């Protein structure tokens, strides 16, 4: 009997999960995993500050799917086959226990991404997955029901099955070798990014964070609530990153020049905060505004907002001019920040765009246009917000592709 061959293109989470699960399910299958760089599982290594945010502790499919700006319906169908509890169990069976944090993010008990990397590499070794690094694919060509995989060094691999798990590309022309298979590409754009605010004095507060702020983009319906971090170039943190994901295409059309409106106190709006200020002026009249911060904001931020409103350090609550208190209210709940440009969030580069989802079967991850061609992970037009959602899509799509391929043994 002639062994069949699967070539997996991409040495990230989705590619590894496809390769090792296919190897276990289809023992007669020869599996070759190709990675164009000299690093394997690079995103796994840096995710979650080196802890690896493996997945998200979601209560159900509907909740989970709502965290994908692109591909909600697609992932909902896919998650019905392999979901968060399956991911937890898969790693548990291999000696890796995951824990959930209050915000839903899940990490290995060791708090080390190396635990996940070692687990995946051990499985690849156990099932004899052949790994070739620094090997770039230049073309995929159909050969009957199989494929020819052309490599940069001029060699050609013959494969019965191909799974493309090459990740996202920053430029559309990088997808040309996939377009040549007949697939449409949704133009790629950055998804998770931070907001640059050149010249804004708030950047002097770099390192200051608030646990919950409300951020919206002026002139649009885009808005998000969550932790906000002030950086030396502008604003970051989960709230901003989630907003960047939901607004990826709209903000690109604006060429990343827009106004962000920040509410540092989401429990208030202008009217309710004005009423609260009247009571504070009465109840804390003799106290200095700078020394008495009644809203629990970081002290440096509170001082900054007071000074921006024209309220000096010595002013008492009772003596604050009404016009300056009104300015303070605006600073607190409708602070306008001019954004000019973006910065990729650390090294966690995520794109929206990729293979058009209507051309992929979510039940198998197989191309609807070409037999025995599969996709997994970010190369598809699916992206989630930060918090373990992109990794869950990687595990799910890799597992489904592996199971679909294994069903074709014989």
């Amino acid at each position: 009997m002639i062994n069949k061959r699967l070539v997996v293109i991409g040495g990230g989470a989705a590619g590894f999960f496809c390769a090792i699960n296919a190897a276990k399910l289809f023992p007669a299958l020869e599996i070759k995993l190709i990675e164009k760089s000299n690093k394997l599982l690079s995103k796994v290594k840096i995710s979650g500050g080196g802890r690896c945010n493996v997945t998200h502790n979601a209560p159900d499919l509907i909740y989970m799917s709502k965290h994908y700006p692109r591909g909600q319906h697609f992932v909902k169908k896919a998650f019905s086959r392999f979901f968060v509890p399956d991911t937890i169990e898969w790693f548990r069976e291999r000696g890796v226990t995951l824990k959930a944090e209050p915000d839903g993010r899940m990490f290995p008990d060791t708090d080390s991404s190396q635990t996940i990397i070692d687990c995946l590499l051990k499985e690849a070794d156990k099932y004899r997955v052949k790994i070739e690094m620094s090997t770039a694919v230049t073309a995929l060509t159909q050969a009957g029901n199989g494929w020819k995989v052309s490599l940069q060094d001029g060699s050609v691999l013959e494969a019965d099955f191909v799974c493309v798990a090459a990740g996202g590309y920053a430029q559309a022309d990088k997808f040309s070798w996939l377009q040549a298979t007949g697939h449409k590409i949704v133009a790629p754009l950055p998804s998770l990014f931070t907001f640059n605010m050149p010249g804004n004095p708030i950047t002097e507060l770099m390192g200051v964070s608030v646990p919950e702020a409300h951020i919206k983009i002026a002139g649009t319906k885009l808005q998000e609530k969550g932790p906000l971090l002030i950086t030396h170039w502008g604003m970051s943190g989960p709230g901003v990153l989630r907003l960047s994901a939901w607004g990826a295409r709209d903000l690109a059309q604006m060429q990343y020049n827009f106004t962000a409106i920040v509410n540092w106190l989401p429990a208030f709006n202008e009217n309710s905060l004005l009423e609260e200020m009247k009571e504070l002026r009465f109840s804390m009249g003799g106290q200095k505004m700078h020394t008495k911060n009644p809203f629990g904001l970081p002290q440096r931020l509170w001082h900054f907002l007071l000074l921006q409103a024209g309220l000096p350090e010595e002013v008492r609550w009772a003596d604050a001019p009404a016009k300056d208190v009104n300015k303070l209210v605006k600073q607190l709940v409708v602070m306008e920040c001019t954004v000019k440009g973006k910065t990729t969030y650390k090294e966690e580069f995520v794109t929206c765009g990729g293979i058009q989802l209507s051309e992929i079967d979510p039940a198998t991850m197989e191309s609807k246009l070409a037999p025995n061609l599969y996709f997994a992970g970010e190369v598809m037009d699916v992206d989630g917000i930060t918090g373990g959602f992109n990794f869950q899509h990687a595990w799910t799509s890799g597992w489904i592709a592996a199971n679909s391929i294994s069903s074709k043994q014989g």
Side-chain angles (χ1 to χ4, degrees):
M1 176 180 164
I2 299 172
N3 281 3
K4 291 190 174 181
R5 176 188 280 170
L6 161 64
V7 172
V8 178
I9 302 169
F16 258 83
F17 221 61
C18 175
I20 58 187
N21 281 292
K24 183 187 178 194
L25 292 163
F26 194 161
L29 189 65
E30 179 195 338
I31 299 176
K32 187 164 279 195
L33 185 148
I34 295 170
E35 167 56 39
K36 67 179 177 182
S37 74
N38 61 358
K39 293 178 183 176
L40 296 171
L41 299 164
S42 55
K43 279 194 180 179
V44 172
K45 188 170 183 64
I46 63 172
S47 163
R51 295 166 64 206
C52 188
N53 186 183
V54 178
T55 185
H56 196 91
N57 190 27
D60 54 54
L61 298 178
I62 294 173
Y63 174 91
M64 191 77 169
S65 64
K66 286 181 177 176
H67 291 79
Y68 294 81
R70 266 79 36 190
Q72 282 190 24
H73 298 300
F74 186 89
V75 297
K76 192 172 166 187
K77 291 175 183 175
F79 288 155
S80 67
R81 296 209 58 205
F82 189 91
F83 193 42
V84 174
D86 303 300
T87 301
I88 295 168
E89 180 62 14
W90 191 94
F91 281 103
R92 189 197 65 77
E93 287 175 352
R94 290 154 182 83
V96 177
T97 307
L98 304 182
K99 61 178 179 180
E101 299 202 337
D103 62 3
R105 292 180 302 160
M106 297 194 76
F107 298 91
D109 270 349
T110 58
D111 281 325
S112 172
S113 59
Q114 196 61 44
T115 303
I116 303 300
I117 292 170
D118 290 346
C119 174
L120 296 172
L121 289 174
K122 183 179 176 183
E123 287 290 296
D125 185 57
K126 178 180 177 179
Y127 293 107
R128 299 184 296 281
V129 173
K130 296 175 183 175
I131 298 172
E132 288 190 18
M133 296 163 68
S134 302
T135 303
V137 174
T138 56
L140 283 178
T141 312
Q142 246 178 309
N145 281 331
W147 291 87
K148 289 187 176 180
V149 183
S150 300
L151 305 179
Q152 202 164 35
D153 64 4
S155 62
V156 177
L157 288 173
E158 293 189 357
D160 298 279
F161 311 101
V162 171
C163 179
V164 179
Y169 291 113
Q171 292 90 29
D173 60 356
K174 301 282 187 184
F175 284 97
S176 58
W177 62 284
L178 290 170
Q179 278 181 301
T181 66
H183 283 278
K184 291 188 179 69
I185 304 298
V186 179
L189 289 168
S191 182
L192 295 180
F193 51 85
T194 61
F195 296 170
N196 290 358
M197 300 174 181
N200 191 319
I202 200 168
T203 57
E204 295 166 13
L205 304 181
M206 62 174 288
V208 170
S209 64
V210 295
E212 186 167 80
H214 183 269
I215 316 111
K216 62 181 180 179
I217 308 301
T220 76
K221 294 180 179 178
L222 293 167
Q223 56 185 313
E224 192 61 62
K225 196 184 288 186
L228 188 152
L229 171 68
I230 299 169
T231 71
H232 67 277
W233 61 82
M235 289 181 182
S236 183
V240 168
L241 294 172
R242 289 199 289 263
L243 186 56
S244 76
W246 287 109
R249 297 206 175 279
D250 292 328
L251 300 181
Q253 284 188 338
M254 297 176 188
Q255 297 183 309
Y256 307 104
N257 292 323
F258 54 89
T259 299
I261 301 171
V262 180
N263 181 347
W264 300 101
L265 303 171
F268 293 95
N269 57 31
E270 274 192 84
N271 290 333
S272 63
L273 188 55
L274 280 168
E275 289 302 311
E276 181 71 12
M277 287 293 186
K278 288 177 186 175
E279 292 192 20
L280 289 170
R281 283 158 73 83
F282 177 74
S283 62
M284 297 198 299
Q287 300 182 55
K288 291 180 181 178
M289 295 184 79
H290 278 255
T291 56
K292 190 64 177 177
N293 168 8
F295 301 108
L297 290 172
Q299 204 64 14
R300 286 173 64 201
L301 176 60
W302 176 243
H303 288 170
F304 173 83
L305 296 174
L306 287 168
L307 292 172
Q308 290 292 303
L311 292 159
E313 288 187 17
E314 296 302 313
V315 72
R316 297 182 305 164
W317 279 93
D319 301 332
K323 65 179 177 57
D324 293 338
V325 172
N326 289 344
K327 284 183 190 174
L328 177 61
V329 167
K330 287 189 178 296
Q331 288 290 317
L332 284 164
V333 295
V334 283
M335 181 182 185
E336 294 190 2
C337 301
T338 301
V339 176
K340 290 186 180 296
K342 59 174 175 47
T343 299
T344 301
Y345 178 58
K346 297 182 181 177
E347 293 172 278
E348 296 190 34
F349 181 74
V350 173
T351 61
C352 62
I355 302 291
Q356 189 166 289
L357 296 180
S358 61
E359 299 174 351
I360 305 167
D361 182 349
T364 61
M365 297 298 151
E366 188 172 11
S367 165
K368 292 179 181 178
L369 308 183
N372 299 323
L373 175 62
Y374 296 80
F375 298 99
E378 202 187 328
V379 72
M380 298 183 272
D381 185 25
V382 173
D383 63 289
I385 63 172
T386 182
F389 300 98
N390 287 303
F391 272 134
Q392 185 55 54
H393 167 59
W395 311 131
T396 293
S397 54
W399 185 90
I400 291 174
N403 274 260
S404 179
I405 291 164
S406 71
S407 71
K408 296 186 177 183
Q409 21 186 341

